[in-house]
Amino acid sequence: MKKSRDNRNKRKTGTAGKQARRESILGMLLRDLLLTAGILVVFSLFHHVIPHLNREPAPTPVPIQTPLPTQSPVREETPAPALIPAPTPSPEPEPDPMDWKTKFASHFTADVVETDHSYQSPGISIDIQKYVSQDDAPSTYFVADIYLADLESFQTRWAGGSLVYSRHADPQKMSRETEAILSINGDYANLQETGLLVRNGEFYMDEKTLCDICVLYRDGVMETYSPEEYEVEEVLERLPWQIWKFGPALLDGEGHPRESFNTTGPISGENPRTGIGYYEPGHYCFVVVDGRQGDYSEGMTMERFARLFEELGCRAAYNLDGGRSSVMFFQQERVSHPFLDGRSAGDILLIREVAPEEETK
């Protein structure tokens, strides 16, 4: 009995020892696990958590752009809206070459302003200057500088009011009949029954003569021609307003005196003279030279007369009837001093105001 108890006790004691050893091993393993875990926690704390707390935040990652495939899937394109072109600024309108009222506005006035040697209105400007020269010979001459707003103000007048061969009249009377502001003697064209002749737009003759002619066209351009320099049809096609047929022409195409003059010797010498000069459309001048009066005025040769128009800056100039006929009137009163008190004339050139219904369209 005792022996069996001892055996039972031994078995219990052995069993308890084994159990104690197992618990001891498990405890060691548990301690090792806890120790390992602690080491890992400390390692992570110092190597991962704390460094990231002190580091600046990383930049936002930029997505990588991958190239599009070579073949894109076909899809219906939405048409782009049509581009509306920017408006093109309108070009500045070309000035009207016949708008002389605007072009020469500084020479005109709203109301009539008149002195003893000048006249200004809404459509006419006239300034008359007297000059004395000792060049070649003593000469006294008068230059009327003329600006017009309408070519209709530039007219001519026949003796008696119509063209009649060899009829003549007092030029002062003709000036008063037309209420001329300014007038000079003309070319006595009614002494010639042939030639190319137009006055105030009215056609009279269409033949050439041996004389130079002067043509004032409806656009205001004035040109002079020797007989070989023009054709009748070409001149008429350009719508002349006035044609004079006395001459000669004084300046060439460059505005310089011609090398020779289409006239006779006696006429080329020192004489009283009347002429018309051209600057540009709407701007003209009348010139009268007194002569045959000794030291007061001997007159001018044709060459000196041409040089005078060059000195005035004219682009064209033309000689009219001279000698005793040469005379200038301002407001129907005589300005110049014609030789032997002057004489009657076949026609005059004049500047006057026109009624609205007469104005050139």
Side-chain angles (χ1 to χ4, degrees):
M1 296 275 304
K2 183 179 179 180
K3 188 177 181 178
S4 65
R5 283 197 299 269
D6 291 335
N7 288 337
R8 284 196 300 268
N9 291 334
K10 287 181 181 178
R11 286 195 298 269
K12 289 180 182 180
T13 304
T15 302
K18 291 179 181 179
Q19 185 175 358
R21 283 195 300 273
R22 282 197 299 270
E23 290 176 357
S24 176
I25 292 171
L26 289 172
M28 291 175 62
L29 289 174
L30 183 59
R31 285 194 304 272
D32 290 342
L33 286 174
L34 290 174
L35 181 60
T36 301
I39 292 171
L40 289 174
V41 169
V42 171
F43 178 83
S44 297
L45 182 64
F46 281 94
H47 288 274
H48 295 283
V49 177
I50 293 175
H52 280 281
L53 291 176
N54 296 327
R55 188 180 303 167
E56 292 183 0
T60 304
V62 178
I64 298 174
Q65 299 291 331
T66 56
L68 295 174
T70 304
Q71 297 292 335
S72 300
V74 179
R75 66 177 184 273
E76 185 177 348
E77 295 287 344
T78 302
L83 295 177
I84 301 175
T88 304
S90 301
E92 291 293 329
E94 292 290 333
D96 183 357
M98 290 294 289
D99 186 9
W100 303 342
K101 189 166 188 176
T102 299
K103 183 175 183 179
F104 304 130
S106 62
H107 296 276
F108 303 135
T109 53
D111 301 309
V112 173
V113 178
E114 185 178 350
T115 70
D116 59 353
H117 63 85
S118 66
Y119 178 93
Q120 288 177 288
S121 73
I124 294 175
S125 173
I126 298 170
D127 183 69
I128 303 172
Q129 296 294 327
K130 177 182 177 181
Y131 298 89
V132 177
S133 171
Q134 299 296 325
D135 186 10
D136 296 342
S139 58
T140 299
Y141 58 95
F142 302 84
V143 178
D145 193 33
I146 305 163
Y147 289 90
L148 302 176
D150 194 302
L151 189 64
E152 194 77 29
S153 292
F154 193 145
Q155 299 187 2
T156 58
R157 169 80 170 186
W158 293 115
S162 61
L163 175 59
V164 176
Y165 180 74
S166 197
R167 183 163 66 184
H168 53 270
D170 179 359
Q172 188 171 27
K173 180 182 178 182
M174 286 189 276
S175 183
R176 289 170 178 167
E177 288 172 347
T178 55
E179 298 182 344
I181 302 165
L182 175 72
S183 64
I184 56 175
N185 63 284
D187 64 351
Y188 226 133
N190 61 354
L191 286 180
Q192 304 177 45
E193 293 184 307
T194 61
L196 181 58
L197 184 62
V198 175
R199 294 297 168 87
N200 299 337
E202 184 176 352
F203 169 81
Y204 291 96
M205 304 176 188
D206 63 351
E207 299 177 3
K208 277 193 175 184
T209 68
L210 298 178
C211 297
D212 295 347
I213 64 171
C214 178
V215 184
L216 176 62
Y217 293 102
R218 288 183 180 270
D219 60 4
V221 173
M222 192 183 94
E223 296 179 353
T224 61
Y225 308 96
S226 61
E228 63 273 9
E229 291 176 333
Y230 73 95
E231 295 297 332
V232 171
E233 296 77 10
E234 294 176 356
V235 170
L236 295 179
E237 284 177 0
R238 289 180 59 185
L239 302 178
W241 175 244
Q242 312 283 357
I243 298 181
W244 296 281
K245 54 176 185 172
F246 192 90
L250 300 172
L251 303 179
D252 60 20
E254 301 298 322
H256 304 306
R258 293 203 174 199
E259 294 182 357
S260 61
F261 303 100
N262 183 19
T263 189
T264 60
I267 295 178
S268 295
E270 289 174 352
N271 283 296
R273 301 209 174 274
T274 299
I276 176 175
Y278 165 73
Y279 299 98
E280 60 181 319
H283 187 195
Y284 314 93
C285 67
F286 290 170
V287 178
V288 169
V289 182
D290 288 337
R292 302 175 185 169
Q293 300 176 56
D295 291 340
Y296 164 69
S297 187
E298 286 288 348
M300 288 187 181
T301 63
M302 197 68 71
E303 182 182 2
R304 176 67 185 98
F305 200 40
R307 292 205 315 268
L308 172 57
F309 282 99
E310 180 188 37
E311 292 163 5
L312 291 172
C314 294
R315 294 164 56 183
Y318 189 75
N319 180 66
L320 297 167
D321 191 11
R324 192 175 168 187
S325 297
S326 291
V327 66
M328 177 183 289
F329 297 95
F330 178 63
Q331 294 293 27
Q332 298 103 50
E333 298 299 326
R334 196 164 63 190
V335 173
S336 62
H337 302 279
F339 177 58
L340 295 179
D341 209 31
R343 64 183 173 192
S344 59
D347 62 320
I348 62 171
L349 282 64
L350 63 108
I351 305 296
R352 74 178 185 90
E353 297 284 4
V354 296
E357 60 270 15
E358 296 180 277
E359 292 180 358
T360 303
K361 304 299 182 184

